[in-house]
Amino acid sequence: MSADELDAIVVGAGFGGMGAAIQLKRCGYERIAILDREDDLGGTWYVNHYPGLAVDIPSTTYSYWFEPNPTWSRLHAPGAELKTYADRVADKYDLRRLMRFNTTVDGARWDEDAERWRVTLAGGETVSARFLVTATGYLSQPRIPDIDGVSGFAGTMIHTARWNDDYRAQGKRIGIIGTGVTAVQLIPELAAKADELTVYQRTAIWVVPKVDFPIPPVIRRIFARFPAIQGLLRLLTDALAEVGISTAVVNYRWTRPVNSVATWVSKLHLFASVRDKRTRRMLTPEYEFGCKRTTFNNDYYRTFTQPNVRLETEGIDRIEADGIVTTDGRKTPIDTLVLATGFDLWEANFPAIEVVGRDGRNLGKWWRENRFRTYDGVTVPSFPNFLNLASPYAFTGASYFTMMECQMRHMDRLFGELQRRGSATFEVTEDASARHFERMAKRLGNMVYFRGNCAASRSYHFRGDATIVRPSSRGRALRESTNFPLSDYAFR
Ligand code: NAP
């Protein structure tokens, strides 16, 4: 098939891109190219394979609602099982043959005359399609901290999103920068093996106990035989996840006692794990629970009682070839530098590639000049036949898959109408986009980010007056994605 015959280009072969491709196929489009810069599918669950990686919301909820997986070995499955699940879904829905790996997309431009997207790949090749879906995820651009001397470090340097499986921590003096969700999972693993582990913490994180257990083989067999039973468990875990995010984050204005309770649960967890008062003080955040991603772990706090582990809260002045120097002039010699420093989101990921729509409108520029926004978390005016999945205000509920469910429903309604009318293009109207944004903006004031004490959190969940989290309940988001007024779109 020539590239000019493509119905759709999907950028990203992770769960987002695969969900979009499944939906496009359901809508009758078969000529799809899924492009990914990596050499395999799975997105974040292919790229991330650091020790200790596990999903931290129940796997029953962290999976496609139409594709339950009876083989999860634990309530919170290890990362490798997510990759296996992604492989299985790709095979079942025959997506692999649509995928093109080692293919970096540089940018995309709408060709108004041809009514097609022209997508430029690194190396200069151009492919084109009627529809463009960017499914590049929120956490796809690893952040290398801008610390003096970081590039001159002479030992082993590993970012968690570029883990080297051959690396052995035994006998090493390791310095790890960062105490986000990734570090919380990785630190106990490194501490169990390293000679010395120094943890450089800039901002402490609230950690609550994780309710996790193995799923016995007999239960897995029951799930495989009677999917409805696993469905019931999913209803429960969905509800718990929804209660968590809708109280502690979205509706904080009315439910702030929930945040206080969660804070005390975390403090008790810390108290039970660490006897030293000073260490407890250092590990206690100065912002409210909910400002940052909720973190579940049973080993993290206890790790700081090990004799080979040291928590360093003094700022980092510079990195030298063989160690880290803090602002008070102390140098800690290390032979491994682990960067658990997360991802660039707002700067590098909105959008992840340059997208130029009708009349030369540049998405990144337009967002910055007109505030970040997407209609129902997917579309933007002046960008016909374009869906941006990992968008501002798109992340619904506690699971990425809930967001996907909303977006796939939106696609179903949108493409259904496009076909019913026999139109060539869809485009959300400026007016509908503005009204939707106003509705979102009005609800922002209820969220913990803007009403709570989040100033010291350095959370990537919000930036200025924008957030990635949709300020609504899961039910409302699903309803809006299913019933949005079709008149909000112009079909030509
Ligand atoms: P993150 O939450 O952004 O944490 C990055 C850490 O690095 C923070 O502690 C940050 O400190 C620190 N840092 C960054 N630059 C620094 C600098 N220049 N100097 C000192 N410290 C610096 O990233 P992450 O831990 O990789 O987690 C990202 C997201 O991945 C999570 O929120 C979660 O959504 C997802 N995740 C999910 C799972 C799962 O099980 N599902 C597991 C892992 C990760 P500050 O806080 O001070 O900026």
Side-chain angles (χ1 to χ4, degrees):
M1 184 196 325
S2 116
D4 268 351
E5 291 167 18
L6 284 175
D7 293 321
I9 291 172
V10 177
V11 185
F15 283 122
M18 295 206 306
I22 290 169
Q23 186 59 50
L24 284 163
K25 287 179 85 176
R26 285 177 178 168
C27 293
Y29 303 106
E30 282 293 333
R31 296 169 303 184
I32 302 166
I34 305 172
L35 311 179
D36 200 294
R37 67 185 179 193
E38 303 297 335
D39 59 9
D40 198 355
L41 62 88
T44 200
W45 297 101
Y46 173 59
V47 168
N48 284 281
H49 41 88
Y50 57 82
L53 175 68
V55 66
D56 61 3
I57 55 166
S59 299
T60 36
T61 288
Y62 198 84
S63 46
Y64 294 110
W65 70 102
F66 57 86
E67 199 51 51
N69 178 20
T71 67
W72 301 125
S73 65
R74 308 185 63 84
L75 184 64
H76 297 87
E81 291 185 26
L82 271 297
K83 168 64 175 129
T84 307
Y85 173 64
D87 284 332
R88 214 195 71 203
V89 172
D91 289 335
K92 177 165 176 184
Y93 291 87
D94 194 18
L95 301 179
R96 235 177 248 275
R97 67 185 173 82
L98 309 177
M99 292 177 179
R100 190 168 150 186
F101 297 115
N102 299 308
T103 304
T104 301
V105 174
D106 273 350
R109 181 175 280 272
W110 174 247
D111 180 337
E112 181 72 15
D113 296 330
E115 292 181 326
R116 295 181 76 77
W117 282 96
R118 307 264 176 225
V119 175
T120 314
L121 311 181
E125 187 190 345
T126 301
V127 282
S128 85
R130 199 174 153 202
F131 306 111
L132 172 67
V133 183
T134 45
T136 44
Y138 288 111
L139 307 166
S140 59
Q141 320 289 346
R143 180 196 293 136
I144 305 300
D146 187 18
I147 299 174
D148 211 16
V150 67
S151 56
F153 182 68
T156 305
M157 182 159 76
I158 322 177
H159 190 285
T160 53
R162 299 270 179 272
W163 196 259
N164 174 359
D165 292 332
D166 295 329
Y167 175 74
R168 295 288 167 265
Q170 280 86 352
K172 301 285 189 340
R173 292 169 306 169
I174 304 175
I176 179 167
I177 303 179
T179 50
V181 180
T182 300
V184 167
Q185 294 186 338
L186 177 60
I187 284 168
E189 300 286 327
L190 295 179
K193 298 186 178 119
D195 261 14
E196 290 169 25
L197 177 69
T198 309
V199 177
Y200 290 85
Q201 170 189 278
R202 184 165 69 180
T203 309
I205 187 159
W206 291 116
V207 180
V208 290
K210 183 172 183 174
V211 179
D212 193 20
F213 47 81
I215 300 177
V218 61
I219 301 289
R220 288 185 238 160
R221 280 198 295 276
I222 291 173
F223 284 168
R225 188 98 195 268
F226 307 104
I229 295 183
Q230 194 178 18
L232 286 177
L233 179 61
R234 183 184 184 125
L235 280 182
L236 177 69
T237 56
D238 278 8
L240 289 174
E242 172 61 13
V243 166
I245 194 146
S246 74
T247 53
V249 176
V250 173
N251 294 308
Y252 167 85
R253 175 179 187 173
W254 300 283
T255 54
R256 74 173 64 182
V258 172
N259 299 61
S260 307
V261 170
T263 302
W264 278 105
V265 170
S266 181
K267 279 186 177 172
L268 277 174
H269 181 39
L270 176 58
F271 184 77
S273 309
V274 178
R275 303 312 308 153
D276 179 52
K277 225 172 169 177
R278 183 169 166 271
T279 309
R280 281 208 303 269
R281 209 173 33 245
M282 288 158 80
L283 286 167
T284 304
E286 289 170 0
Y287 54 87
E288 270 186 280
F289 186 93
C291 302
K292 268 190 191 295
R293 170 73 145 63
T294 307
T295 305
F296 305 89
N297 197 282
N298 299 330
D299 305 319
Y300 177 69
Y301 283 148
R302 223 182 6 239
T303 305
F304 293 97
T305 63
Q306 289 182 213
N308 62 331
V309 178
R310 187 166 64 84
L311 177 63
E312 179 60 74
T313 53
E314 197 67 41
I316 298 173
D317 180 64
R318 62 186 184 279
I319 293 170
E320 297 187 345
D322 57 351
I324 300 182
V325 181
T326 41
T327 46
D328 57 2
R330 279 180 296 121
K331 175 171 172 178
T332 303
I334 55 167
D335 40 48
T336 305
L337 175 60
V338 175
L339 302 176
T341 43
F343 302 84
D344 278 327
L345 199 157
W346 294 91
E347 298 78 13
N349 215 35
F350 280 159
I353 57 165
E354 182 174 65
V355 184
V356 180
R358 218 161 29 77
D359 304 325
R361 181 177 280 186
N362 180 302
L363 183 58
K365 226 169 137 213
W366 188 75
W367 267 343
R368 280 156 185 83
E369 286 165 2
N370 295 275
R371 298 173 70 183
F372 290 99
R373 63 177 79 182
T374 41
Y375 176 79
D376 206 26
V378 276
T379 51
V380 188
S382 285
F383 293 85
N385 290 5
F386 171 60
L387 300 149
N388 191 69
L389 300 193
S391 281
Y393 303 104
F395 186 64
T396 358
S399 166
Y400 202 74
F401 287 91
T402 315
M403 180 178 97
M404 278 313 302
E405 184 173 0
C406 291
Q407 296 181 326
M408 287 172 75
R409 285 184 185 209
H410 191 108
M411 287 171 76
D412 187 51
R413 182 165 169 80
L414 180 59
F415 285 103
E417 182 64 7
L418 185 80
Q419 291 168 355
R420 195 186 66 76
R421 291 175 183 238
S423 302
T425 65
F426 64 79
E427 182 182 333
V428 68
T429 65
E430 294 275 358
D431 183 48
S433 161
R435 273 188 284 110
H436 184 272
F437 176 61
E438 242 170 64
R439 273 210 320 277
M440 294 290 124
K442 224 185 254 169
R443 294 190 217 141
L444 290 182
N446 306 333
M447 300 182 91
V448 67
Y449 311 133
F450 307 105
R451 188 168 275 264
N453 168 24
C454 286
S457 69
R458 292 178 188 264
S459 170
Y460 71 86
H461 279 190
F462 64 98
R463 179 63 44 95
D465 56 6
T467 166
I468 58 171
V469 177
R470 186 169 174 142
S472 85
S473 69
R474 171 176 182 267
R476 185 174 188 158
L478 285 170
R479 272 196 310 280
E480 287 177 355
S481 302
T482 315
N483 301 325
F484 61 87
L486 290 166
S487 55
D488 282 356
Y489 279 92
F491 296 91
R492 299 196 179 86

